[in-house]
């Protein structure tokens, strides 16, 4: 797959006083021009213009940025592109819901349970059900690749639909569950904490094929530290139980 993207976006945000001070809203207007140069026999080649608006409503009571010990964060993002209201040649609606929670497990709050859940869904309004490759969901690896949901213990973008040559093509529905037990070794002068994790997720071609119990699972451990002038640095080791199903490799 080879493509070129150009565009611009404008974002505004506002903190709400109702239902409480933890709520906020963010709105984005975006124009994007996508040129699919090589569609890899999956995506239509050519240039399409996209006009979209996005709304994110979130509530966060998480205050510590480096090592949170209490609080929850819930967010729902809805994006509308084209359709009956906007111009362009890309028509879809996308919704991403995420929830996170931090629960202290010790009196000194050095031991913390972090739990998270994410459900992502995108549906095309177009007659041919076309979606640009950058609007579908991928999963696997550390999640640093664009539009990819992290799932440690697997190769980048290895989880989900593939084409005839075995290359990932992205899916329209994604689900992920995760648990981490974190322990703070130091907060001053150098914040360092270690963790153990278990997570599971999958990506499907459409909602009719979605099975929230058909998941790719992994466990592992890692560490995080803050380096001056660098920021947050992390190292994780993950063991993917279902590697043979995903890419026929040993876990």
């Amino acid at each position: 797959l080879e493509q070129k993207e150009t565009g611009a976006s404008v974002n505004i945000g506002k903190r709400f006083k109702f239902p409480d001070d933890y709520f906020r809203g963010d709105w984005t207007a975006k124009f994007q021009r996508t040129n699919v140069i090589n569609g890899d026999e999956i995506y239509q080649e050519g240039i399409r213009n996209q006009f979209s608006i996005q709304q994110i409503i979130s509530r966060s009571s998480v205050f510590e940025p480096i090592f949170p010990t209490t609080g929850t964060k819930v967010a729902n993002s809805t994006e509308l592109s084209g359709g009956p209201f906007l111009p362009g040649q890309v028509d879809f609606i996308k919704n991403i819901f995420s929830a996170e929670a931090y629960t202290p497990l010790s009196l000194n709050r050095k031991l913390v349970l972090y739990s998270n859940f994410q459900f992502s869904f995108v549906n095309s309004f177009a007659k041919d059900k076309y979606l640009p490759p950058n609007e579908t969901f991928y999963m696997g690896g550390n999640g640093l690749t664009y539009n990819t949901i992290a799932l440690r213990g697997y190769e980048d973008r290895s989880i989900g639909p593939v084409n005839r040559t075995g290359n990932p093509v992205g899916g329209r529905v994604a689900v992920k569950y995760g648990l981490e037990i974190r322990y703070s070794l130091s907060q001053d002068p150098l914040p360092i904490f270690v963790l153990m994790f278990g997570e599971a997720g999958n990506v499907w071609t459409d909602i009719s094929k979605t099975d929230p119990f058909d998941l790719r699972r992994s466990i592992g451990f890692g560490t995080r530290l803050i380096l001056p002038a660098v920021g947050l640095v992390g190292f994780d080791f993950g063991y993917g139980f279902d590697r043979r199903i995903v890419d026929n490799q040993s876990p």
Side-chain angles (χ1 to χ4, degrees):
L1 175 65
E2 180 183 359
Q3 64 179 356
K4 181 179 181 181
E5 300 174 6
T6 55
S9 62
V10 177
N11 172 269
I12 60 172
K14 177 178 175 59
R15 187 169 298 279
F16 300 141
K17 296 294 184 180
F18 178 84
D20 57 37
D21 293 345
Y22 299 142
F23 279 85
R24 69 170 286 126
D26 292 274
W27 297 268
T28 301
K30 180 177 73 174
F31 165 75
Q32 184 165 292
R33 181 177 182 269
T34 301
N35 181 11
V36 179
I37 301 170
N38 179 7
D40 203 15
E41 299 183 357
I42 296 294
Y43 295 101
Q44 297 178 16
E45 298 176 357
I47 298 174
R48 291 182 184 239
N49 294 322
Q50 174 183 337
F51 293 85
S52 66
I53 53 175
Q54 180 187 33
Q55 173 182 268
I56 302 175
I57 302 297
S58 60
R59 183 188 186 276
S60 177
S61 58
V62 179
F63 299 112
E64 305 94 333
I66 298 175
F67 187 76
T69 59
T70 61
T72 61
K73 182 177 181 181
V74 180
N76 190 80
S77 167
T78 303
E79 182 180 2
L80 175 66
S81 175
F85 307 108
L86 299 171
Q89 297 86 45
V90 180
D91 305 295
F92 68 82
I93 186 169
K94 176 188 287 188
N95 197 85
I96 300 175
F97 173 82
S98 62
E100 305 174 12
Y102 298 87
T103 306
L105 300 179
S106 62
L107 294 178
N108 60 9
R109 297 194 176 188
K110 285 191 173 184
L111 187 65
V112 176
L113 174 66
Y114 166 60
S115 55
N116 61 84
F117 168 76
Q118 180 175 326
F119 174 77
S120 306
F121 171 71
V122 60
N123 187 38
S124 173
F125 293 137
K127 293 182 179 180
D128 59 359
K129 298 300 180 181
Y130 173 82
L131 278 173
N134 58 319
E135 298 296 348
T136 55
F137 304 112
Y138 300 84
M139 184 176 289
N142 54 28
L144 297 179
T145 306
Y146 176 74
N147 214 30
T148 301
I149 302 169
L151 192 66
R152 293 161 287 187
Y154 298 88
E155 295 294 326
D156 286 348
R157 295 192 166 197
S158 63
I159 297 173
V162 297
N163 61 12
R164 289 177 296 177
T165 60
N167 294 320
V169 296
R172 303 190 179 203
V173 183
V175 172
K176 180 189 173 184
Y177 310 86
L179 288 174
E180 284 186 8
I181 296 179
R182 299 177 172 184
Y183 182 77
S184 174
L185 298 177
S186 170
Q187 289 297 312
D188 187 30
L190 187 64
I192 303 174
F193 67 89
V194 294
L195 60 90
M196 294 187 299
F197 68 85
E199 53 191 11
N202 206 349
V203 180
W204 297 271
T205 53
D206 56 62
I207 195 70
S208 64
K209 298 180 180 180
T210 300
D211 181 355
F213 301 102
D214 178 24
L215 304 174
R216 307 298 173 249
R217 305 156 298 158
S218 69
I219 60 172
F221 60 88
T223 184
R224 300 288 184 273
L225 66 155
I226 301 294
L227 296 180
V230 176
L232 180 67
V233 178
F235 301 93
D236 288 337
F237 176 86
Y239 182 92
F241 290 102
D242 302 300
R243 279 290 303 272
R244 293 200 180 278
I245 298 176
V246 171
D247 54 16
N248 203 32
Q249 299 295 317
S250 299

